Amino acid sequence: MEGVSGATAGDGEGAATRTGAEVGTGRRRRAPAAPEQVRGGHPEQPEWSAPAPERYGTWQGVQARPQVPGPRREFVEAFGTSGRRKDAGGGQDPRTGQDARTGQDSRAGQAGPEEKHGRATAAPAASATLTVPVAPDVPDGSESTAGPGVPADGGAAGSEKAGSEKGSKGRTFTGIAAAAVTTVLAVVVAGQVADGGGSHDTSRAAGATERETGAGPASRGDNRPEPKAAVVPLTYAKKMSTLYPLDPKLEATGKFSVVPGSAKAPGTGRKYRYRVDIEKGMGLDGMLFAEAVQKTLNDNRSWAHDGAKTFERISSGQPDFVITLASPVTTAKWCEKSGLDTLEENVSCDSAATDRVMINAYRWAQGSETFGDSKIYPYRQMLINHEVGHRLGHNHESCRTPGALAPVMQQQTKSLDIDGIRCRANPWVYPTR
């Protein structure tokens, strides 16, 4: 390490003798900067000009500053172990901010980090030298070699007390120097962000953070609900083709509710007005049942054939009859009022002594063996047509031709084979095939 050329130490009062172009200060002059070279060595070796990415990581949202080449030895040669620049003429007093040689405040007119950030000051180049205010390079217990303008701690310059205090403060200011370097680097990074240089990387880093934490709109975090499949409502035909669970010995509440709504009679024949009731506590769809009654009775294959009759559903006023969907036990009770026994074979009836046409809910929900599960839709149509046929004055009939369609007034729930003549299941009064 080079010494001070052509200069000698002071005479005890801090004076220096000029032997060259400028007066020496008793400080060692900084060696000429070596040409830049690619840094080698262990990745954990610290760089005091800029934090190395391997040690400190990269700043999120901005590009990492390029490394300043050169080993740590150059830092020691330039600053010494105390952190003071050796080529500084008088240095800067860390307490007052005044230049040691001129006595002027070197901080005057400089903008703080906030002001620089507000004016979007461009960041300095990566290779710029950072001047850090540090304490003089004073060995413990020795006299101060600072130049004029640096006030001595506690009074007279060169005293033993001042030397001792400065020795301890030199160590303190060494830590301050490291903190100052970090502060300056933070200002540099803030300048880069204010200059807009890291905008692309910022958005990219933000997107990465959202993916890692699951906070983004396209993420699959634990708190994000899974997409639900669109619920397609069942069609009328699908509902009519579906079996519903029901106990064959069910006894519900015995109380009825009127299915709300109405449906106009579509034809011009004789009009029958009816109401639909459903027993409470069965869990069956009353609206589906009411829709099935209206569509079935007004079908051209039913009693409305060729416009002879038409049927209108009401929910208030006086009906001609009440079509009632009830549990097996309740159905039997109402059929018994007309002298009919439905419990033995769990069937439906027209309770002629009352205004109710009773449809056994078990048969409505589960069908019969004669039709099978695959034909529950036409079986429900047969139930409606058969029991309303009784209300209209028709009695039971039997099939007379083997293999033919059974008459709708045949007791098809019980059997399709009457007197050895087996016929096919049929839901209609006037079938087309």
Side-chain angles (χ1 to χ4, degrees), residues 26-111:
R27 304 189 190 307
R28 289 161 291 188
R29 196 173 294 277
R30 183 183 179 184
E36 294 185 356
Q37 59 184 5
V38 178
R39 176 180 180 270
H42 195 279
E44 293 183 355
Q45 179 176 347
E47 290 292 346
W48 296 101
S49 298
E54 294 86 358
R55 177 167 178 149
Y56 297 100
T58 55
W59 292 89
Q60 182 177 0
V62 298
Q63 296 179 352
R65 291 191 62 199
Q67 296 181 358
V68 179
R72 183 178 179 181
R73 178 171 52 83
E74 292 184 341
F75 174 86
V76 176
E77 293 176 355
F79 291 90
T81 58
S82 64
R84 173 172 293 281
R85 290 181 54 89
K86 297 178 181 181
D87 58 345
Q92 186 183 75
D93 192 317
R95 295 167 300 176
T96 64
Q98 293 182 347
D99 188 276
R101 186 169 48 189
T102 63
Q104 297 179 353
D105 191 343
S106 59
R107 297 174 297 183
Q110 295 182 357

Side-chain angles (χ1 to χ4, degrees), residues 74-344:
E74 292 184 341
F75 174 86
V76 176
E77 293 176 355
F79 291 90
T81 58
S82 64
R84 173 172 293 281
R85 290 181 54 89
K86 297 178 181 181
D87 58 345
Q92 186 183 75
D93 192 317
R95 295 167 300 176
T96 64
Q98 293 182 347
D99 188 276
R101 186 169 48 189
T102 63
Q104 297 179 353
D105 191 343
S106 59
R107 297 174 297 183
Q110 295 182 357
E114 294 81 2
E115 186 178 350
K116 288 185 178 180
H117 187 274
R119 293 202 294 253
T121 306
S127 60
T129 301
L130 301 177
T131 302
V132 182
V134 294
D137 187 11
V138 181
D140 289 347
S142 62
E143 294 184 354
S144 171
T145 57
V150 179
D153 241 356
S159 66
E160 291 183 0
K161 179 178 179 182
S164 175
E165 291 179 354
K166 286 188 174 288
S168 61
K169 290 193 176 183
R171 289 190 298 273
T172 302
F173 287 140
T174 299
I176 297 175
V181 171
T182 304
T183 303
V184 173
L185 289 177
V187 175
V188 170
V189 172
Q192 290 178 345
V193 174
D195 198 39
S199 59
H200 176 71
D201 289 340
T202 301
S203 60
R204 183 168 56 190
T209 302
E210 287 180 351
R211 287 191 296 272
E212 292 171 1
T213 60
S219 66
R220 283 291 179 266
D222 293 339
N223 296 329
R224 184 179 179 83
E226 291 294 328
K228 296 181 180 179
V231 178
V232 179
L234 295 177
T235 63
Y236 168 77
K238 183 67 176 177
K239 292 178 181 179
M240 288 289 286
S241 301
T242 301
L243 296 173
Y244 302 101
L246 198 88
D247 187 345
K249 297 181 179 181
L250 175 66
E251 181 178 6
T253 63
K255 298 179 180 179
F256 304 108
S257 62
V258 178
V259 177
S262 61
K264 293 292 184 181
T268 58
R270 180 184 173 180
K271 182 166 66 176
Y272 292 86
R273 305 174 75 208
Y274 70 94
R275 190 182 78 220
V276 175
D277 285 0
I278 184 171
E279 187 179 4
K280 298 177 181 179
M282 296 189 301
L284 295 176
D285 188 349
M287 294 300 297
L288 174 63
F289 178 68
E291 185 178 4
V293 172
Q294 179 71 5
K295 288 184 176 181
T296 299
L297 292 178
N298 286 292
D299 193 290
N300 191 53
R301 295 167 290 180
S302 184
W303 301 110
H305 181 69
D306 288 343
K309 301 177 181 67
T310 187
F311 299 87
E312 179 174 287
R313 180 168 76 91
I314 63 174
S315 57
S316 62
Q318 184 61 40
D320 293 314
F321 55 89
V322 179
I323 299 181
T324 307
L325 183 65
S327 65
V329 174
T330 302
T331 297
K333 289 179 179 180
W334 278 86
C335 292
E336 188 179 5
K337 293 179 180 182
S338 298
L340 302 172
D341 182 7
T342 61
L343 279 177
E344 184 177 350

Side-chain angles (χ1 to χ4, degrees), residues 287-430:
M287 294 300 297
L288 174 63
F289 178 68
E291 185 178 4
V293 172
Q294 179 71 5
K295 288 184 176 181
T296 299
L297 292 178
N298 286 292
D299 193 290
N300 191 53
R301 295 167 290 180
S302 184
W303 301 110
H305 181 69
D306 288 343
K309 301 177 181 67
T310 187
F311 299 87
E312 179 174 287
R313 180 168 76 91
I314 63 174
S315 57
S316 62
Q318 184 61 40
D320 293 314
F321 55 89
V322 179
I323 299 181
T324 307
L325 183 65
S327 65
V329 174
T330 302
T331 297
K333 289 179 179 180
W334 278 86
C335 292
E336 188 179 5
K337 293 179 180 182
S338 298
L340 302 172
D341 182 7
T342 61
L343 279 177
E344 184 177 350
E345 295 175 290
N346 215 0
V347 292
S348 306
C349 81
D350 169 40
S351 182
T354 70
D355 61 352
R356 293 188 183 277
V357 175
M358 303 299 297
I359 304 296
N360 190 318
Y362 172 72
R363 293 300 181 182
W364 171 264
Q366 292 289 305
S368 70
E369 292 182 1
T370 54
F371 277 71
D373 294 349
S374 63
K375 293 184 178 180
I376 185 64
Y377 188 164
Y379 176 78
R380 289 166 177 165
Q381 293 171 321
M382 186 276 297
L383 273 181
I384 295 169
N385 280 326
H386 182 93
E387 301 306 335
V388 172
H390 283 306
R391 176 62 55 164
L392 296 175
H394 298 276
N395 295 320
H396 285 145
E397 298 179 13
S398 297
C399 178
R400 295 303 178 193
T401 304
L405 292 174
V408 74
M409 294 308 298
Q410 182 172 321
Q411 292 177 300
Q412 296 182 63
T413 296
K414 294 180 179 181
S415 176
L416 292 174
D417 192 341
I418 305 296
D419 297 333
I421 300 176
R422 186 171 184 80
C423 296
R424 294 179 291 139
N426 169 46
W428 298 112
V429 180
Y430 300 95

